[in-house]
Amino acid sequence: MAATMSNVEEIRTRAVLGEFGVKNVHSSDFPGNYPGYDDTWNMQTFKKNFRIDIVNLEENSMEFDMVGIDAAIANAFRRILLAEVPTMAIEKVFIYNNTSIVQDEVLAHRLGLVPIKADPRLFEYRNAGEESAEEQGSEIDTIQLQLKIKCSRNPRATKDSSDPRELYLNHMVYSSDITWVPIGNQADVFADCVIRPVHDDILIAQLRPGQELDIIMHCIKGIGQDHAKFSPVATASYRLLPEITLLEPVEGEKAERLKRCFSRGVIDIEDVNGTNVAKVVNSRLDTCSREVIRHDDLKNVVKLARLRDHFIFTVESTGILPPDVLVTEAIKVLMTKCQRFLSELDTPSVE
């Protein structure tokens, strides 16, 4: 038992990558499992250990570390980002005229997947019982968009030209051709942030002279759980922080080979008294490919592991909302779900 207990800390906190599998993948830090360890959940301990570190924040992407939580909570947070943070998306498409070669159903589907730059926090959910008539919907729950365009010949095109870009006008229909039609007081409310597609270069259809589109679209508030078009992220994923430990000094030619086994920037070579010695510089950059295990003389000098409670999150927004706002909204959704659960526990059951 003593030999086993010497590795308890590693079993509790590390997932070890071996030659033939990954060890310690299941949570074992529950109360009473290990003598001498008090794993009872405690709020003060959680506050002390939990933290969020923002590593990189750009216009549409974000990388941050979430430390001190269980994988179940991290995965719940990821799923909320994917499916439960609301956005505005095209739900109803009223096609008055479509003489292009694109079928009405395909065209409506393509339009529904165009991300719309509109803050969903300023809108309400539309009542589920409402009919789909065009006149329904108000300024608090609906955005109206219009796509009206007609292709014609370019009178200034050269006689010998065969380039459609020169021969025709409006032959390529892009998302930039979608215009916003304010309802009620929306023109005043959104005067500083005009509602429009996130990207202007999304190709919707191609036309030829005489073909035209005349379409009215209604955007409503929804979540990705109902349809993927409402998902606010292009991707939301996490991985555990890698940990690389050299069990013995690696020198000379072995050090060079060891460096090539890992992603760039993980292992570096330093000169120690005229000898090249390998050292771990930044294990975070490692992809855990386990390439080093292929080398018989290297696989026993390196220990590969991952920290079980250190999650590296990557969030890429579709552009509807900034990624930091999406993370904040996901936290609010998680808090609401927890509060609802607590309220159900406090409510006396009725038989």
Side-chain angles (χ1 to χ4, degrees), residues 26-218:
H26 301 293
S27 296
S28 59
D29 52 345
F30 49 85
N33 192 35
Y34 299 110
Y37 286 90
D38 181 16
D39 286 317
T40 305
W41 194 86
N42 180 273
M43 175 62 78
Q44 297 302 321
T45 303
F46 174 77
K47 288 183 177 180
K48 179 181 178 181
N49 297 332
F50 178 76
R51 72 177 194 272
I52 294 179
D53 301 325
I54 298 178
V55 178
N56 183 40
L57 177 59
E58 298 178 1
E59 182 180 1
N60 290 322
S61 63
M62 178 182 184
E63 181 178 320
F64 63 94
D65 293 355
M66 188 177 288
V67 186
I69 59 170
D70 190 75
I73 305 299
N75 192 49
F77 183 73
R78 180 190 66 85
R79 291 171 64 96
I80 289 173
L81 275 169
L82 288 170
E84 297 188 57
V85 175
T87 62
M88 303 295 291
I90 296 172
E91 176 73 5
K92 301 295 182 182
V93 179
F94 304 95
I95 301 178
Y96 294 101
N97 194 6
N98 173 23
T99 55
S100 71
I101 64 171
V102 183
Q103 298 92 335
D104 290 355
E105 296 83 359
V106 176
L107 185 60
H109 182 261
R110 291 179 65 85
L111 290 170
L113 295 177
V114 175
I116 304 301
K117 187 77 170 181
D119 194 338
R121 296 170 294 181
L122 304 178
F123 292 89
E124 302 292 336
Y125 284 102
R126 195 165 181 176
N127 293 333
E130 290 186 356
E131 297 295 330
S132 59
E134 179 185 358
E135 57 270 19
Q136 292 188 347
S138 64
E139 65 269 12
I140 64 172
D141 61 17
T142 303
I143 297 173
Q144 182 169 301
L145 302 174
Q146 184 179 32
L147 176 59
K148 191 170 184 178
I149 188 170
K150 183 175 182 179
C151 179
S152 61
R153 294 188 179 275
N154 183 6
R156 299 183 179 180
T158 58
K159 189 175 182 179
D160 298 331
S161 176
S162 60
D163 187 355
R165 293 173 295 181
E166 185 179 354
L167 288 174
Y168 312 128
L169 299 176
N170 299 326
H171 77 290
M172 304 283 277
V173 183
Y174 290 100
S175 53
S176 57
D177 297 312
I178 297 176
T179 57
W180 170 45
V181 181
I183 302 175
N185 64 346
Q186 288 182 349
D188 298 327
V189 175
F190 300 99
D192 297 330
C193 50
V194 177
I195 296 173
R196 57 177 179 81
V198 173
H199 306 286
D200 293 332
D201 57 351
I202 301 175
L203 181 62
I204 297 174
Q206 294 189 36
L207 305 179
R208 285 299 180 262
Q211 296 179 347
E212 61 180 307
L213 297 175
D214 188 1
I215 302 172
I216 295 292
M217 295 154 280
H218 284 183

Side-chain angles (χ1 to χ4, degrees), residues 305-321:
R306 289 192 176 216
L307 300 185
R308 295 169 57 90
D309 65 344
H310 191 134
F311 299 88
I312 302 174
F313 269 87
T314 301
V315 178
E316 182 181 340
S317 170
T318 57
I320 297 174
L321 289 173

Side-chain angles (χ1 to χ4, degrees), residues 318-329:
T318 57
I320 297 174
L321 289 173
D324 53 332
V325 174
L326 293 179
V327 171
T328 304
E329 292 300 308

Side-chain angles (χ1 to χ4, degrees), residues 16-22 239-244 257-264 266-267 283-295 299 302-306:
V16 180
L17 284 70
E19 183 175 2
F20 300 106
V22 183
R239 62 188 179 98
L240 295 176
L241 178 69
E243 182 184 65
I244 301 172
R257 280 193 292 120
L258 181 68
K259 179 180 178 180
R260 292 195 296 269
C261 289
F262 294 90
S263 303
R264 181 176 298 179
V266 176
I267 302 293
S283 60
R284 182 190 183 93
L285 301 177
D286 185 37
T287 59
C288 295
S289 65
R290 295 188 287 181
E291 168 71 15
V292 66
I293 297 177
R294 297 178 64 245
H295 301 264
K299 64 181 181 181
V302 180
K303 184 176 183 180
L304 307 177
R306 289 192 176 216

